[in-house]
Amino acid sequence: MPTIKIYDPALCCATGVCGPSVDPELTRVATTIFLLEKKGIDITRYNLGSEPQAFIDETNIQDLLNTKGTDTLPAVMVDGEVKLVGRYPTNEEFAKWAHISVSELTKKEAKSKGIELL
């Protein structure tokens, strides 16, 4: 089982639904992370604004920030190796790292007559 860690820039919230407008990319990433967690994937997300110690504790991330600054965020580590800097992973990348099909990260339309819970 892979370990995926995402190091976000300072954000007011990770979902993208705060502030004056919704950020669809943050919403996609939050949904994908939720779906991966439901599948038992070890995935953790850190926010520079509220969890700076995580950035200090991870030498690879600290080195990135010291040499290239916060423009390298978001950064993604998989099994202790930096895999991506400066953008969020696509669903295809998430699926590859989690060893699952990308179709498992697509929310399926459910036919229901009531409230749908994730």
Side-chain angles (χ1 to χ4, degrees):
M1 176 89 44
T3 299
I4 302 170
K5 295 181 180 181
I6 301 171
Y7 294 85
D8 284 317
L11 301 170
C12 60
C13 71
T15 62
V17 294
C18 56
S21 63
V22 173
D23 184 336
E25 181 66 352
L26 287 177
T27 303
R28 179 191 65 81
V29 169
T31 300
T32 302
I33 290 169
F34 175 77
L35 293 171
L36 288 169
E37 288 173 334
K38 279 181 64 173
K39 295 192 171 302
I41 303 300
D42 184 5
I43 186 164
T44 309
R45 192 171 183 187
Y46 302 103
N47 183 331
L48 181 59
S50 60
E51 302 164 288
Q53 191 62 45
F55 293 73
I56 293 166
D57 291 343
E58 180 52 61
T59 307
N60 292 325
I61 299 300
Q62 185 180 25
D63 290 345
L64 271 175
L65 291 173
N66 287 338
T67 58
K68 298 181 181 176
T70 57
D71 287 344
T72 60
L73 301 178
V76 181
M77 292 186 65
V78 180
D79 294 331
E81 181 183 340
V82 176
K83 292 286 192 178
L84 192 63
V85 295
R87 68 173 177 84
Y88 288 103
T90 63
N91 283 1
E92 289 77 11
E93 289 167 323
F94 274 124
K96 177 183 173 186
W97 297 331
H99 309 291
I100 62 172
S101 166
V102 72
S103 66
E104 295 181 63
L105 298 178
T106 304
K107 191 169 182 273
K108 294 166 184 61
E109 292 297 322
K111 294 180 182 177
S112 70
K113 295 182 180 182
I115 297 173
E116 181 182 348
L117 301 175
L118 295 176

